Amino acid sequence: KRQNGNFTTFNNFENVYFPIYIHVLFLKYVLYGMNAEIAKLRISDKRNKILRDEFMTIKNNYFLSHISYNFMPNEVYQHLIESLDIMLEIERMEERIEKINDYIEEQSSQAMNRFLGFMALVTPLSALWDVFEWSDKLFGLSSHYALFSSMIFSVLFIVPLSIIGILVLKSKSYKAH
């Protein structure tokens, strides 16, 4: 050991181990704060997406597997992680994030089902319109006849088909829960 301050024990602690301790305390503080904040929110709250993204950024940027090429700083880091229950905080947060992701996926699926249901209603009407326009041009049928025929066709075919489709979608949604 030299006495000029370059290799003293205190200098080693001050420049190597204390920053590790501060880093782990930072992780604990941020993760605990995020867990507390996300626990207060309803699962449908829009802030959950922001917290999910922030958590992933914190985990990717600050939760390190190794912090040094030396043996001892990595050991100190691992023991500090263990003693401050950082892994428990991460596991809790990941469980909450998984629930949020499931909710977001379910909401997206429901929105897509509504859109597809709407398209299922619009598509036959569009095709029906084209058929009647074609028949009017080809056979010279009047627009009143086409209108009357389309109303009968929609009442007898499209409306029951749409109702059956909606019931099937609802039963699939009910079985998923």
Side-chain angles (χ1 to χ4, degrees):
K1 292 182 184 180
R2 296 189 336 189
Q3 294 298 325
N4 63 5
N6 288 338
F7 297 109
T8 63
T9 303
F10 182 74
N11 192 20
N12 205 15
F13 173 79
E14 187 178 64
N15 293 325
V16 177
Y17 300 113
F18 187 66
I20 295 171
Y21 177 69
I22 296 298
H23 178 79
V24 174
L25 276 180
F26 165 77
L27 275 175
K28 179 68 173 182
Y29 174 77
V30 169
L31 291 173
Y32 180 78
M34 291 178 96
N35 267 328
E37 188 173 351
I38 208 165
K40 292 179 199 173
L41 299 175
R42 293 187 338 249
I43 197 159
S44 61
D45 198 322
K46 300 287 184 197
R47 177 100 172 102
N48 283 328
K49 290 180 184 180
I50 296 168
L51 285 172
R52 177 190 63 184
D53 294 342
E54 288 176 6
F55 169 71
M56 294 309 294
T57 301
I58 293 293
K59 185 177 174 190
N60 291 338
N61 292 338
Y62 299 106
F63 186 68
L64 310 170
S65 61
H66 290 82
I67 58 167
S68 175
Y69 292 110
N70 297 329
F71 168 75
M72 193 55 134
N74 288 324
E75 284 297 312
V76 169
Y77 178 71
Q78 292 302 324
H79 286 290
L80 285 171
I81 292 286
E82 184 180 322
S83 66
L84 291 176
D85 283 334
I86 301 291
M87 292 306 297
L88 181 64
E89 291 291 335
I90 288 175
E91 288 171 8
R92 286 181 187 160
M93 195 68 175
E94 285 176 341
E95 288 172 5
R96 290 185 173 120
I97 295 293
E98 187 176 329
K99 289 177 185 175
I100 291 167
N101 287 339
D102 290 345
Y103 175 79
I104 291 170
E105 185 178 320
E106 182 180 326
Q107 292 301 314
S108 298
S109 175
Q110 288 177 357
M112 181 60 80
N113 285 341
R114 285 191 296 269
F115 175 73
L116 291 175
F118 173 75
M119 291 305 292
L121 290 174
V122 171
T123 303
L125 293 176
S126 173
L128 185 65
W129 177 265
D130 291 339
V131 166
F132 286 120
E133 287 291 317
W134 178 74
S135 67
D136 186 35
K137 288 180 183 177
L138 188 62
F139 302 115
L141 298 175
S142 70
S143 61
H144 297 293
Y145 175 74
L147 180 64
F148 180 72
S149 299
S150 65
M151 287 176 25
I152 291 175
F153 180 76
S154 61
V155 168
L156 296 178
F157 181 70
I158 295 175
V159 171
L161 187 65
S162 300
I163 291 172
I164 291 170
I166 290 170
L167 292 175
V168 167
L169 284 175
K170 284 187 177 182
S171 70
K172 285 183 180 179
S173 174
Y174 180 74
K175 288 179 183 176
H177 294 285

